[in-house]
Amino acid sequence: MAKSRRDDLVDAALKLFYAGGFTATGIDKILAESGVAKMTLYKHFRSKEELIVAVLHRRDEQFRNWLMGEMEKASNDPRERLLAMFDALEVWFQGRAFKGMGFNGCAFINAAGEFGDQDHPAHRAAAEHKRSIVEYLKRLCSEAGASDPARLAEQLALLKEGAIATAHVRGMSDAAQIAGEMAARIIDASTGATSTIGSE
């Protein structure tokens, strides 16, 4: 199906906001990148804020489809799917996950940082994305036999967020691997399994 002019705008804005920040990236730059006229922009979005929220919704769909797809194709076993999240993060950190977009941290953490008011629409969109990831993890944790799936999901989400921040801020190449090793121990403690990490 052919992309609409709205899609062109959102896709161009996503790349530019992700690379340069939401506040620092001006509308004129987005129009130049997308090839869309200003009149067309304001036909679809009444403000830059509305465009930012649309971008975050697009990124949410893009990122969740990618991450969950990577986890689900890795294995049918829920424990292995949980651990595959960290393998996927490593691919992302290396800039190999999204065509035309390197790794500039998490768009949702970036948005929440720029729009600190928790009632701001962009902040709310960022928080909703994070909650949806935790809900997915909670389902896998339950399938893996965790004694407290909700708590384990939050623990794994914290490891994920820590790996993202460490890879972005410190450029630590093995952040995802270290987080994955920690995750294996936490999962096995929660499910009563015996971890093989470091036992060779």
Side-chain angles (χ1 to χ4, degrees), residues 12-81:
L14 171 55
K15 289 182 180 180
L16 292 171
F17 286 148
Y18 184 59
F22 295 92
T23 305
T25 302
I27 289 296
D28 288 343
K29 190 170 184 179
I30 294 167
L31 294 175
E33 177 74 15
S34 64
V36 172
K38 186 172 285 190
M39 186 182 298
T40 303
L41 167 68
Y42 289 110
K43 174 184 173 184
H44 294 289
F45 304 102
R46 290 175 294 180
S47 64
K48 183 179 178 182
E49 181 180 287
E50 280 195 2
L51 176 60
I52 289 170
V53 172
V55 162
L56 289 171
H57 288 156
R58 174 68 54 84
R59 180 61 170 174
D60 168 62
E61 180 183 17
Q62 179 192 72
F63 188 85
R64 283 191 298 117
N65 285 343
W66 169 77
L67 181 63
M68 294 174 188
E70 291 297 300
M71 292 167 68
E72 289 173 10
K73 77 181 183 184
S75 175
N76 289 324
D77 179 72
R79 177 186 181 276
E80 294 306 312
R81 283 185 172 179

Side-chain angles (χ1 to χ4, degrees), residues 17-168:
F17 286 148
Y18 184 59
F22 295 92
T23 305
T25 302
I27 289 296
D28 288 343
K29 190 170 184 179
I30 294 167
L31 294 175
E33 177 74 15
S34 64
V36 172
K38 186 172 285 190
M39 186 182 298
T40 303
L41 167 68
Y42 289 110
K43 174 184 173 184
H44 294 289
F45 304 102
R46 290 175 294 180
S47 64
K48 183 179 178 182
E49 181 180 287
E50 280 195 2
L51 176 60
I52 289 170
V53 172
V55 162
L56 289 171
H57 288 156
R58 174 68 54 84
R59 180 61 170 174
D60 168 62
E61 180 183 17
Q62 179 192 72
F63 188 85
R64 283 191 298 117
N65 285 343
W66 169 77
L67 181 63
M68 294 174 188
E70 291 297 300
M71 292 167 68
E72 289 173 10
K73 77 181 183 184
S75 175
N76 289 324
D77 179 72
R79 177 186 181 276
E80 294 306 312
R81 283 185 172 179
L82 289 167
L83 293 177
M85 175 170 69
F86 299 93
D87 295 330
L89 292 180
E90 185 169 10
V91 172
W92 179 35
F93 297 166
Q94 293 169 354
R96 298 187 289 116
F98 302 98
K99 186 176 180 181
M101 295 173 65
F103 174 65
N104 292 299
C106 172
F108 303 97
I109 295 175
N110 298 345
E114 289 197 43
F115 307 102
D117 181 355
Q118 293 190 353
D119 289 326
H120 191 284
H123 196 113
R124 290 202 306 268
E128 183 55 37
H129 166 79
K130 296 299 184 182
R131 281 191 291 269
S132 68
I133 296 289
V134 172
E135 285 301 312
Y136 174 69
L137 294 177
K138 185 165 71 174
R139 178 170 64 80
L140 286 180
C141 290
S142 179
E143 291 173 3
S147 56
D148 187 342
R151 185 170 183 81
L152 178 57
E154 292 290 358
Q155 290 172 329
L156 296 177
L158 283 169
L159 285 173
K160 167 183 167 286
E161 300 303 331
I164 294 169
T166 300
H168 185 210

